[in-house]
């Protein structure tokens, strides 16, 4: 009886930890190669004093090479200082098992763009593409995220990951700590 009870608990925990399905918003194959992109996923949100910051992740696979697209969105009625990605930019992911995974920027220099919306709010958008190192794959599959450090061209910024939160942006529940546990298998899908 005990074995049956513990077996059921084990099965339920496996189901709860199951990977999420890959939702590809783009899937193109042509004579130039192949390109897949997952739906953007909100991993960080901060709203304070009329200023908002968001970080979105998306997994890309271009000709079999996996890449993490990172998009930063900042909103404010005040001027927003530019942040840039350059050849020295990196993302450091600290996992709950205390290992640190480093993602390397693809060398495309970008400072994003700023747009003022119809309400007079400044919106600055910055996108960057970061490559995974093969030696980090297993760590990302086994442990949740606890902390992200983004090294921009001239500065670094730190972001604490939350287990889950309800977004003020769209009202959905996001689980940023578990992002790679839930979606890393999308990197390994064959083009």
């Amino acid at each position: 009886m005990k074995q049956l009870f513990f077996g059921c608990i084990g099965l339920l925990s496996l189901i709860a930890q199951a990977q999420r399905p890959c939702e590809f918003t783009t899937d193109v194959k042509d004579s130039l190669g192949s390109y897949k992109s997952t739906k953007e996923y909100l991993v960080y949100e901060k709203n304070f004093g009329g200023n908002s910051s968001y970080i979105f992740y998306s997994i890309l696979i271009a000709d079999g090479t996996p890449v993490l697209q990172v998009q930063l969105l900042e909103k404010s009625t005040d001027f927003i200082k530019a942040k840039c990605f350059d050849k020295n930019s990196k993302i450091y992911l600290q996992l709950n098992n205390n290992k640190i995974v480093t993602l390397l920027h693809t060398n495309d220099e970008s400072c994003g763009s700023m747009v003022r919306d119809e309400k007079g709010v400044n919106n600055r958008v910055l996108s960057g593409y970061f490559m995974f190192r093969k030696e980090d794959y297993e760590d990302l599959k086994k442990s949740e995220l606890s902390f992200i450090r983004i090294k921009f061209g001239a500065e670094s910024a730190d972001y604490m990951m939350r287990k889950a939160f309800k977004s003020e942006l769209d009202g959905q529940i996001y689980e940023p700590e578990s992002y790679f546990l839930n979606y890393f298998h999308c990197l390994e899908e064959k083009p």
Side-chain angles (χ1 to χ4, degrees):
M1 187 67 171
K2 283 184 182 179
Q3 290 175 336
L4 180 62
F5 175 74
F6 287 118
C8 289
I9 288 177
L11 181 61
L12 289 174
S13 67
L14 281 175
I15 292 170
Q17 295 292 328
Q19 297 170 336
R20 305 285 199 287
C22 298
E23 296 178 48
F24 290 103
T25 57
T26 306
D27 189 355
V28 177
K29 294 178 189 170
D30 61 18
S31 61
L32 299 175
S34 63
Y35 178 88
K36 283 182 161 186
S37 175
T38 62
K39 182 177 163 185
E40 290 180 341
Y41 191 88
L42 184 62
V43 294
Y44 179 82
E45 178 179 78
K46 178 181 166 187
N47 296 297
F48 183 76
N51 298 323
S52 302
S53 298
Y54 307 94
I55 299 176
F56 296 90
Y57 280 175
S58 178
I59 294 172
L60 311 177
I61 305 168
D63 295 327
T65 302
V67 176
L68 181 70
Q69 178 183 16
V70 176
Q71 186 175 70
L72 285 83
L73 170 61
E74 294 179 286
K75 295 181 170 208
S76 178
T77 53
D78 298 327
F79 178 77
I80 303 170
K81 184 178 89 165
K83 295 176 181 154
C84 300
F85 290 129
D86 64 15
K87 64 180 179 170
N88 298 316
S89 294
K90 295 178 178 147
I91 292 183
Y92 302 98
L93 305 172
Q94 183 169 355
L95 306 178
N96 282 347
N97 63 9
N98 288 325
K99 291 191 177 183
I100 295 177
V101 171
T102 304
L103 304 181
L104 307 172
H105 192 254
T106 59
N107 294 334
D108 297 329
E109 207 167 290
S110 171
C111 291
S113 59
M114 185 147 88
V115 178
R116 182 173 285 230
D117 66 18
E118 65 279 351
K119 296 177 185 173
V121 176
N122 294 317
N123 296 276
R124 184 169 290 281
V125 179
L126 173 64
S127 292
Y129 300 92
F130 293 83
M131 297 180 292
F132 295 90
R133 299 180 310 174
K134 287 237 186 235
E135 59 265 24
D136 294 327
Y137 280 22
E138 291 307 313
D139 291 328
L140 288 169
K141 290 181 194 178
K142 293 179 185 173
S143 184
E144 293 180 328
L145 288 172
S146 64
F147 185 82
I148 298 172
R149 174 170 287 160
I150 300 177
K151 183 183 180 307
F152 298 99
E155 64 184 286
S156 292
D158 297 335
Y159 305 93
M160 294 296 297
M161 291 294 97
R162 293 186 274 179
K163 186 160 254 349
F165 66 91
K166 183 175 183 176
S167 172
E168 293 179 32
L169 188 65
D170 62 9
Q172 293 189 31
I173 303 291
Y174 291 93
E175 299 173 327
E177 276 190 1
S178 304
Y179 179 77
F180 289 108
L181 292 177
N182 292 334
Y183 295 101
F184 195 85
H185 66 284
C186 299
L187 288 170
E188 299 172 321
E189 288 206 358
K190 301 295 179 209

Short mmCIF file of all heavy atoms in Angstrom, two decimals, residues 12-72:
data_model
loop_
_atom_site.label_atom_id
_atom_site.label_comp_id
_atom_site.label_asym_id
_atom_site.label_seq_id
_atom_site.Cartn_x
_atom_site.Cartn_y
_atom_site.Cartn_z
N LEU A 12 2.43 12.06 -9.87
CA LEU A 12 1.84 13.40 -9.86
C LEU A 12 2.91 14.49 -9.91
O LEU A 12 2.75 15.50 -10.58
CB LEU A 12 0.94 13.59 -8.64
CG LEU A 12 -0.37 12.82 -8.65
CD1 LEU A 12 -1.10 12.97 -7.33
CD2 LEU A 12 -1.25 13.26 -9.80
N SER A 13 4.02 14.28 -9.19
CA SER A 13 5.08 15.30 -9.22
C SER A 13 5.74 15.35 -10.60
O SER A 13 6.13 16.42 -11.06
CB SER A 13 6.12 15.06 -8.13
OG SER A 13 6.84 13.88 -8.36
N LEU A 14 5.87 14.20 -11.28
CA LEU A 14 6.41 14.21 -12.64
C LEU A 14 5.49 14.95 -13.60
O LEU A 14 5.94 15.71 -14.45
CB LEU A 14 6.62 12.78 -13.14
CG LEU A 14 7.86 12.06 -12.66
CD1 LEU A 14 7.87 10.61 -13.14
CD2 LEU A 14 9.11 12.78 -13.10
N ILE A 15 4.19 14.74 -13.45
CA ILE A 15 3.23 15.43 -14.30
C ILE A 15 3.30 16.93 -14.04
O ILE A 15 3.27 17.74 -14.97
CB ILE A 15 1.80 14.88 -14.07
CG1 ILE A 15 1.71 13.46 -14.60
CG2 ILE A 15 0.76 15.78 -14.73
CD1 ILE A 15 0.44 12.73 -14.23
N ALA A 16 3.43 17.33 -12.77
CA ALA A 16 3.51 18.75 -12.44
C ALA A 16 4.78 19.39 -13.00
O ALA A 16 4.80 20.56 -13.33
CB ALA A 16 3.46 18.93 -10.92
N GLN A 17 5.85 18.61 -13.10
CA GLN A 17 7.12 19.13 -13.60
C GLN A 17 7.27 18.95 -15.11
O GLN A 17 8.31 19.23 -15.67
CB GLN A 17 8.30 18.41 -12.91
CG GLN A 17 8.39 18.68 -11.42
CD GLN A 17 8.77 20.11 -11.12
OE1 GLN A 17 9.50 20.74 -11.86
NE2 GLN A 17 8.25 20.62 -10.02
N ALA A 18 6.21 18.50 -15.77
CA ALA A 18 6.30 18.22 -17.21
C ALA A 18 6.63 19.47 -18.00
O ALA A 18 6.25 20.57 -17.64
CB ALA A 18 4.98 17.63 -17.69
N GLN A 19 7.32 19.24 -19.09
CA GLN A 19 7.70 20.35 -19.96
C GLN A 19 6.47 20.89 -20.67
O GLN A 19 5.53 20.17 -20.96
CB GLN A 19 8.71 19.85 -20.98
CG GLN A 19 9.99 19.37 -20.36
CD GLN A 19 10.87 18.66 -21.36
OE1 GLN A 19 10.41 18.14 -22.36
NE2 GLN A 19 12.16 18.63 -21.07
N ARG A 20 6.50 22.18 -20.93
CA ARG A 20 5.42 22.83 -21.65
C ARG A 20 5.61 22.59 -23.15
O ARG A 20 6.74 22.47 -23.62
CB ARG A 20 5.42 24.33 -21.39
CG ARG A 20 5.37 24.73 -19.94
CD ARG A 20 3.97 24.53 -19.36
NE ARG A 20 3.70 25.26 -18.14
CZ ARG A 20 4.18 25.00 -16.95
NH1 ARG A 20 5.04 24.05 -16.78
NH2 ARG A 20 3.83 25.70 -15.90
N PRO A 21 4.52 22.57 -23.91
CA PRO A 21 4.67 22.39 -25.35
C PRO A 21 5.33 23.62 -25.98
O PRO A 21 5.14 24.75 -25.52
CB PRO A 21 3.23 22.23 -25.85
CG PRO A 21 2.37 22.79 -24.77
CD PRO A 21 3.13 22.66 -23.49
N CYS A 22 6.11 23.38 -27.01
CA CYS A 22 6.77 24.48 -27.73
C CYS A 22 5.74 25.13 -28.64
O CYS A 22 5.18 24.48 -29.51
CB CYS A 22 7.93 23.95 -28.57
SG CYS A 22 9.22 23.17 -27.60
N GLU A 23 5.49 26.41 -28.42
CA GLU A 23 4.59 27.16 -29.29
C GLU A 23 5.45 28.02 -30.20
O GLU A 23 5.93 29.07 -29.80
CB GLU A 23 3.67 28.06 -28.45
CG GLU A 23 2.73 27.31 -27.55
CD GLU A 23 1.88 28.26 -26.72
OE1 GLU A 23 1.31 29.20 -27.30
OE2 GLU A 23 1.81 28.05 -25.51
N PHE A 24 5.66 27.54 -31.42
CA PHE A 24 6.47 28.29 -32.37
C PHE A 24 5.59 29.29 -33.11
O PHE A 24 4.59 28.92 -33.72
CB PHE A 24 7.17 27.35 -33.36
CG PHE A 24 8.26 26.53 -32.73
CD1 PHE A 24 8.06 25.20 -32.42
CD2 PHE A 24 9.48 27.11 -32.43
CE1 PHE A 24 9.07 24.45 -31.84
CE2 PHE A 24 10.50 26.37 -31.84
CZ PHE A 24 10.29 25.04 -31.55
N THR A 25 5.95 30.57 -33.03
CA THR A 25 5.20 31.60 -33.74
C THR A 25 5.72 31.75 -35.16
O THR A 25 5.02 32.27 -36.01
CB THR A 25 5.30 32.96 -33.01
OG1 THR A 25 6.67 33.31 -32.87
CG2 THR A 25 4.64 32.88 -31.65
N THR A 26 6.96 31.32 -35.39
CA THR A 26 7.55 31.36 -36.72
C THR A 26 8.20 30.01 -36.98
O THR A 26 8.92 29.49 -36.13
CB THR A 26 8.63 32.47 -36.82
OG1 THR A 26 8.05 33.70 -36.43
CG2 THR A 26 9.17 32.57 -38.23
N ASP A 27 7.96 29.44 -38.13
CA ASP A 27 8.58 28.17 -38.52
C ASP A 27 8.75 28.20 -40.05
O ASP A 27 7.81 27.93 -40.78
CB ASP A 27 7.73 27.00 -38.08
CG ASP A 27 8.42 25.66 -38.26
OD1 ASP A 27 9.55 25.63 -38.82
OD2 ASP A 27 7.84 24.64 -37.85
N VAL A 28 9.96 28.58 -40.50
CA VAL A 28 10.21 28.77 -41.92
C VAL A 28 11.32 27.83 -42.38
O VAL A 28 12.37 27.75 -41.74
CB VAL A 28 10.61 30.23 -42.22
CG1 VAL A 28 10.94 30.43 -43.68
CG2 VAL A 28 9.53 31.19 -41.78
N LYS A 29 11.10 27.14 -43.48
CA LYS A 29 12.13 26.34 -44.14
C LYS A 29 12.11 26.71 -45.61
O LYS A 29 11.07 26.67 -46.24
CB LYS A 29 11.84 24.85 -43.98
CG LYS A 29 11.94 24.34 -42.58
CD LYS A 29 11.59 22.88 -42.50
CE LYS A 29 11.47 22.46 -41.05
NZ LYS A 29 10.92 21.15 -40.88
N ASP A 30 13.28 27.10 -46.12
CA ASP A 30 13.38 27.42 -47.54
C ASP A 30 14.77 27.07 -48.03
O ASP A 30 15.54 26.42 -47.33
CB ASP A 30 13.00 28.88 -47.81
CG ASP A 30 13.91 29.87 -47.11
OD1 ASP A 30 15.02 29.50 -46.68
OD2 ASP A 30 13.52 31.05 -46.99
N SER A 31 15.10 27.53 -49.22
CA SER A 31 16.41 27.20 -49.80
C SER A 31 17.57 27.84 -49.04
O SER A 31 18.71 27.41 -49.17
CB SER A 31 16.44 27.64 -51.27
OG SER A 31 16.27 29.04 -51.36
N LEU A 32 17.30 28.86 -48.25
CA LEU A 32 18.36 29.53 -47.47
C LEU A 32 18.60 28.87 -46.12
O LEU A 32 19.62 29.11 -45.48
CB LEU A 32 18.00 31.00 -47.25
CG LEU A 32 17.86 31.84 -48.52
CD1 LEU A 32 17.41 33.24 -48.17
CD2 LEU A 32 19.17 31.87 -49.28
N GLY A 33 17.66 28.06 -45.64
CA GLY A 33 17.83 27.38 -44.36
C GLY A 33 16.52 27.29 -43.61
O GLY A 33 15.44 27.35 -44.20
N SER A 34 16.63 27.16 -42.30
CA SER A 34 15.44 27.03 -41.47
C SER A 34 15.51 28.01 -40.30
O SER A 34 16.59 28.37 -39.84
CB SER A 34 15.29 25.60 -40.96
OG SER A 34 16.38 25.28 -40.13
N TYR A 35 14.34 28.41 -39.82
CA TYR A 35 14.25 29.37 -38.73
C TYR A 35 12.96 29.09 -37.95
O TYR A 35 11.88 29.02 -38.54
CB TYR A 35 14.23 30.80 -39.28
CG TYR A 35 14.09 31.86 -38.23
CD1 TYR A 35 15.20 32.39 -37.60
CD2 TYR A 35 12.83 32.36 -37.86
CE1 TYR A 35 15.08 33.39 -36.63
CE2 TYR A 35 12.70 33.34 -36.91
CZ TYR A 35 13.82 33.85 -36.30
OH TYR A 35 13.70 34.83 -35.33
N LYS A 36 13.11 28.92 -36.63
CA LYS A 36 11.97 28.72 -35.75
C LYS A 36 12.08 29.70 -34.60
O LYS A 36 13.19 29.98 -34.13
CB LYS A 36 11.97 27.32 -35.16
CG LYS A 36 11.52 26.23 -36.04
CD LYS A 36 11.56 24.94 -35.27
CE LYS A 36 10.73 23.88 -35.89
NZ LYS A 36 10.67 22.68 -35.05
N SER A 37 10.96 30.17 -34.11
CA SER A 37 10.95 31.09 -32.97
C SER A 37 9.77 30.76 -32.08
O SER A 37 8.64 30.62 -32.57
CB SER A 37 10.84 32.52 -33.48
OG SER A 37 10.71 33.42 -32.41
N THR A 38 10.03 30.66 -30.77
CA THR A 38 8.93 30.41 -29.84
C THR A 38 8.25 31.72 -29.49
O THR A 38 8.78 32.81 -29.71
CB THR A 38 9.42 29.76 -28.52
OG1 THR A 38 10.32 30.65 -27.86
CG2 THR A 38 10.06 28.41 -28.77
N LYS A 39 7.08 31.61 -28.91
CA LYS A 39 6.31 32.75 -28.43
C LYS A 39 7.12 33.46 -27.34
O LYS A 39 7.80 32.81 -26.54
CB LYS A 39 5.00 32.20 -27.87
CG LYS A 39 4.04 33.19 -27.36
CD LYS A 39 2.78 32.43 -26.93
CE LYS A 39 1.93 33.30 -26.05
NZ LYS A 39 0.78 32.58 -25.53
N GLU A 40 7.04 34.80 -27.29
CA GLU A 40 7.75 35.55 -26.25
C GLU A 40 7.14 35.23 -24.89
O GLU A 40 5.93 35.04 -24.76
CB GLU A 40 7.64 37.05 -26.51
CG GLU A 40 8.44 37.50 -27.70
CD GLU A 40 8.33 38.98 -27.96
OE1 GLU A 40 7.37 39.62 -27.47
OE2 GLU A 40 9.20 39.52 -28.65
N TYR A 41 8.02 35.18 -23.87
CA TYR A 41 7.61 34.80 -22.52
C TYR A 41 8.15 35.84 -21.55
O TYR A 41 9.35 36.12 -21.52
CB TYR A 41 8.15 33.41 -22.19
CG TYR A 41 7.58 32.81 -20.94
CD1 TYR A 41 6.41 32.07 -20.98
CD2 TYR A 41 8.21 32.98 -19.71
CE1 TYR A 41 5.88 31.51 -19.83
CE2 TYR A 41 7.69 32.42 -18.56
CZ TYR A 41 6.52 31.69 -18.63
OH TYR A 41 6.00 31.14 -17.48
N LEU A 42 7.28 36.40 -20.72
CA LEU A 42 7.66 37.43 -19.77
C LEU A 42 8.37 36.78 -18.57
O LEU A 42 7.79 35.94 -17.90
CB LEU A 42 6.42 38.19 -19.31
CG LEU A 42 6.61 39.36 -18.36
CD1 LEU A 42 7.44 40.46 -19.01
CD2 LEU A 42 5.25 39.92 -17.94
N VAL A 43 9.63 37.17 -18.32
CA VAL A 43 10.37 36.61 -17.19
C VAL A 43 10.64 37.64 -16.09
O VAL A 43 11.05 37.28 -14.99
CB VAL A 43 11.71 35.97 -17.63
CG1 VAL A 43 11.47 34.75 -18.50
CG2 VAL A 43 12.63 36.96 -18.29
N TYR A 44 10.41 38.92 -16.38
CA TYR A 44 10.64 39.95 -15.37
C TYR A 44 9.70 41.11 -15.62
O TYR A 44 9.50 41.53 -16.76
CB TYR A 44 12.09 40.45 -15.44
CG TYR A 44 12.42 41.53 -14.44
CD1 TYR A 44 12.74 41.21 -13.13
CD2 TYR A 44 12.39 42.87 -14.81
CE1 TYR A 44 13.03 42.20 -12.21
CE2 TYR A 44 12.68 43.86 -13.89
CZ TYR A 44 13.00 43.52 -12.59
OH TYR A 44 13.29 44.51 -11.68
N GLU A 45 9.12 41.62 -14.52
CA GLU A 45 8.25 42.77 -14.60
C GLU A 45 8.42 43.60 -13.33
O GLU A 45 8.45 43.06 -12.23
CB GLU A 45 6.79 42.32 -14.73
CG GLU A 45 5.80 43.46 -14.76
CD GLU A 45 4.37 42.98 -14.90
OE1 GLU A 45 3.80 42.52 -13.89
OE2 GLU A 45 3.85 43.05 -16.01
N LYS A 46 8.58 44.91 -13.53
CA LYS A 46 8.69 45.82 -12.39
C LYS A 46 7.93 47.09 -12.74
O LYS A 46 8.16 47.70 -13.78
CB LYS A 46 10.16 46.16 -12.12
CG LYS A 46 10.36 47.14 -10.99
CD LYS A 46 11.84 47.41 -10.82
CE LYS A 46 12.11 48.61 -9.97
NZ LYS A 46 13.54 48.95 -9.96
N ASN A 47 6.99 47.45 -11.88
CA ASN A 47 6.21 48.67 -12.04
C ASN A 47 6.32 49.46 -10.75
O ASN A 47 5.91 48.98 -9.69
CB ASN A 47 4.73 48.35 -12.31
CG ASN A 47 4.54 47.62 -13.61
OD1 ASN A 47 4.85 48.16 -14.67
ND2 ASN A 47 4.07 46.39 -13.55
N PHE A 48 6.89 50.67 -10.84
CA PHE A 48 7.07 51.47 -9.64
C PHE A 48 7.14 52.94 -10.01
O PHE A 48 7.92 53.33 -10.89
CB PHE A 48 8.36 51.06 -8.90
CG PHE A 48 8.56 51.79 -7.61
CD1 PHE A 48 7.84 51.46 -6.48
CD2 PHE A 48 9.47 52.83 -7.53
CE1 PHE A 48 8.02 52.14 -5.29
CE2 PHE A 48 9.67 53.52 -6.34
CZ PHE A 48 8.94 53.17 -5.21
N GLY A 49 6.33 53.76 -9.37
CA GLY A 49 6.39 55.20 -9.55
C GLY A 49 6.21 55.68 -10.98
O GLY A 49 6.87 56.61 -11.40
N GLY A 50 5.35 55.03 -11.73
CA GLY A 50 5.11 55.45 -13.10
C GLY A 50 6.13 54.92 -14.10
O GLY A 50 6.04 55.21 -15.29
N ASN A 51 7.12 54.15 -13.63
CA ASN A 51 8.12 53.53 -14.50
C ASN A 51 7.87 52.03 -14.55
O ASN A 51 7.56 51.42 -13.53
CB ASN A 51 9.54 53.80 -14.00
CG ASN A 51 9.86 55.27 -13.98
OD1 ASN A 51 9.45 56.01 -14.86
ND2 ASN A 51 10.58 55.71 -12.96
N SER A 52 8.05 51.47 -15.72
CA SER A 52 7.85 50.02 -15.89
C SER A 52 9.02 49.43 -16.65
O SER A 52 9.56 50.06 -17.56
CB SER A 52 6.57 49.74 -16.68
OG SER A 52 5.45 50.30 -16.05
N SER A 53 9.40 48.21 -16.25
CA SER A 53 10.46 47.45 -16.95
C SER A 53 9.98 46.03 -17.14
O SER A 53 9.39 45.43 -16.24
CB SER A 53 11.74 47.41 -16.11
OG SER A 53 12.23 48.70 -15.91
N TYR A 54 10.25 45.49 -18.33
CA TYR A 54 9.86 44.13 -18.67
C TYR A 54 11.02 43.45 -19.40
O TYR A 54 11.72 44.09 -20.18
CB TYR A 54 8.64 44.12 -19.60
CG TYR A 54 7.47 44.92 -19.08
CD1 TYR A 54 7.30 46.24 -19.47
CD2 TYR A 54 6.55 44.35 -18.23
CE1 TYR A 54 6.22 46.99 -19.01
CE2 TYR A 54 5.46 45.09 -17.75
CZ TYR A 54 5.31 46.41 -18.15
OH TYR A 54 4.25 47.13 -17.68
N ILE A 55 11.17 42.14 -19.16
CA ILE A 55 12.12 41.35 -19.93
C ILE A 55 11.37 40.15 -20.48
O ILE A 55 10.69 39.43 -19.74
CB ILE A 55 13.31 40.87 -19.08
CG1 ILE A 55 14.10 42.06 -18.52
CG2 ILE A 55 14.24 39.96 -19.91
CD1 ILE A 55 15.22 41.67 -17.58
N PHE A 56 11.50 39.95 -21.78
CA PHE A 56 10.87 38.82 -22.47
C PHE A 56 11.96 37.91 -23.03
O PHE A 56 12.99 38.39 -23.51
CB PHE A 56 10.02 39.31 -23.65
CG PHE A 56 8.85 40.15 -23.25
CD1 PHE A 56 8.98 41.53 -23.15
CD2 PHE A 56 7.62 39.57 -23.00
CE1 PHE A 56 7.89 42.32 -22.79
CE2 PHE A 56 6.53 40.35 -22.65
CZ PHE A 56 6.66 41.73 -22.54
N TYR A 57 11.72 36.60 -22.98
CA TYR A 57 12.60 35.61 -23.60
C TYR A 57 11.86 34.96 -24.76
O TYR A 57 10.64 34.80 -24.72
CB TYR A 57 12.96 34.50 -22.62
CG TYR A 57 14.03 34.80 -21.62
CD1 TYR A 57 14.34 33.87 -20.65
CD2 TYR A 57 14.76 35.99 -21.63
CE1 TYR A 57 15.32 34.11 -19.71
CE2 TYR A 57 15.74 36.23 -20.69
CZ TYR A 57 16.01 35.29 -19.73
OH TYR A 57 16.99 35.53 -18.80
N SER A 58 12.63 34.54 -25.75
CA SER A 58 12.11 33.75 -26.85
C SER A 58 13.26 32.87 -27.32
O SER A 58 14.41 33.31 -27.38
CB SER A 58 11.65 34.67 -27.98
OG SER A 58 11.20 33.90 -29.07
N ILE A 59 12.97 31.63 -27.63
CA ILE A 59 13.98 30.70 -28.11
C ILE A 59 13.92 30.65 -29.63
O ILE A 59 12.86 30.46 -30.22
CB ILE A 59 13.77 29.30 -27.51
CG1 ILE A 59 14.02 29.34 -26.00
CG2 ILE A 59 14.67 28.28 -28.19
CD1 ILE A 59 13.67 28.09 -25.27
N LEU A 60 15.07 30.86 -30.26
CA LEU A 60 15.18 30.81 -31.71
C LEU A 60 16.07 29.64 -32.10
O LEU A 60 17.05 29.34 -31.41
CB LEU A 60 15.82 32.08 -32.27
CG LEU A 60 15.30 33.42 -31.82
CD1 LEU A 60 16.13 34.53 -32.45
CD2 LEU A 60 13.86 33.58 -32.20
N ILE A 61 15.77 29.03 -33.21
CA ILE A 61 16.63 28.00 -33.78
C ILE A 61 16.82 28.36 -35.25
O ILE A 61 15.88 28.28 -36.04
CB ILE A 61 16.04 26.59 -33.64
CG1 ILE A 61 15.70 26.30 -32.18
CG2 ILE A 61 17.01 25.55 -34.19
CD1 ILE A 61 14.87 25.07 -31.96
N ALA A 62 18.03 28.81 -35.58
CA ALA A 62 18.33 29.21 -36.96
C ALA A 62 19.33 28.23 -37.54
O ALA A 62 20.46 28.12 -37.05
CB ALA A 62 18.89 30.63 -37.00
N ASP A 63 18.92 27.45 -38.52
CA ASP A 63 19.77 26.43 -39.14
C ASP A 63 20.38 25.50 -38.10
O ASP A 63 21.55 25.15 -38.16
CB ASP A 63 20.85 27.07 -40.00
CG ASP A 63 20.28 27.82 -41.18
OD1 ASP A 63 19.24 27.38 -41.71
OD2 ASP A 63 20.86 28.85 -41.57
N GLY A 64 19.58 25.13 -37.09
CA GLY A 64 20.03 24.20 -36.07
C GLY A 64 20.79 24.83 -34.92
O GLY A 64 21.14 24.14 -33.96
N THR A 65 21.05 26.13 -34.96
CA THR A 65 21.78 26.80 -33.89
C THR A 65 20.79 27.46 -32.94
O THR A 65 20.03 28.35 -33.33
CB THR A 65 22.72 27.89 -34.46
OG1 THR A 65 23.62 27.27 -35.38
CG2 THR A 65 23.50 28.57 -33.36
N PRO A 66 20.77 27.03 -31.67
CA PRO A 66 19.85 27.62 -30.70
C PRO A 66 20.36 28.95 -30.16
O PRO A 66 21.55 29.12 -29.90
CB PRO A 66 19.80 26.57 -29.59
CG PRO A 66 21.10 25.87 -29.67
CD PRO A 66 21.53 25.91 -31.11
N VAL A 67 19.44 29.89 -30.01
CA VAL A 67 19.77 31.24 -29.54
C VAL A 67 18.64 31.71 -28.63
O VAL A 67 17.47 31.38 -28.86
CB VAL A 67 19.90 32.21 -30.73
CG1 VAL A 67 20.15 33.63 -30.27
CG2 VAL A 67 21.01 31.77 -31.68
N LEU A 68 18.99 32.47 -27.59
CA LEU A 68 17.99 33.09 -26.74
C LEU A 68 17.84 34.54 -27.15
O LEU A 68 18.80 35.30 -27.14
CB LEU A 68 18.40 33.01 -25.26
CG LEU A 68 17.40 33.62 -24.28
CD1 LEU A 68 16.13 32.75 -24.21
CD2 LEU A 68 18.02 33.74 -22.89
N GLN A 69 16.63 34.92 -27.55
CA GLN A 69 16.36 36.32 -27.84
C GLN A 69 15.87 36.96 -26.55
O GLN A 69 14.96 36.45 -25.90
CB GLN A 69 15.31 36.50 -28.93
CG GLN A 69 15.02 37.97 -29.18
CD GLN A 69 13.92 38.21 -30.21
OE1 GLN A 69 13.16 37.32 -30.55
NE2 GLN A 69 13.84 39.42 -30.68
N VAL A 70 16.50 38.07 -26.18
CA VAL A 70 16.13 38.80 -24.99
C VAL A 70 15.63 40.17 -25.44
O VAL A 70 16.29 40.85 -26.21
CB VAL A 70 17.34 38.96 -24.04
CG1 VAL A 70 16.98 39.81 -22.84
CG2 VAL A 70 17.85 37.60 -23.61
N GLN A 71 14.47 40.54 -24.96
CA GLN A 71 13.92 41.85 -25.30
C GLN A 71 13.60 42.60 -24.00
O GLN A 71 12.90 42.09 -23.14
CB GLN A 71 12.66 41.70 -26.13
CG GLN A 71 12.12 43.03 -26.63
CD GLN A 71 10.94 42.82 -27.56
OE1 GLN A 71 9.87 42.43 -27.11
NE2 GLN A 71 11.14 43.09 -28.83
N LEU A 72 14.18 43.79 -23.87
CA LEU A 72 13.93 44.65 -22.73
C LEU A 72 13.01 45.77 -23.17
O LEU A 72 13.26 46.40 -24.20
CB LEU A 72 15.23 45.25 -22.20
CG LEU A 72 16.13 44.32 -21.41
CD1 LEU A 72 16.97 43.50 -22.33
CD2 LEU A 72 16.99 45.12 -20.47
#
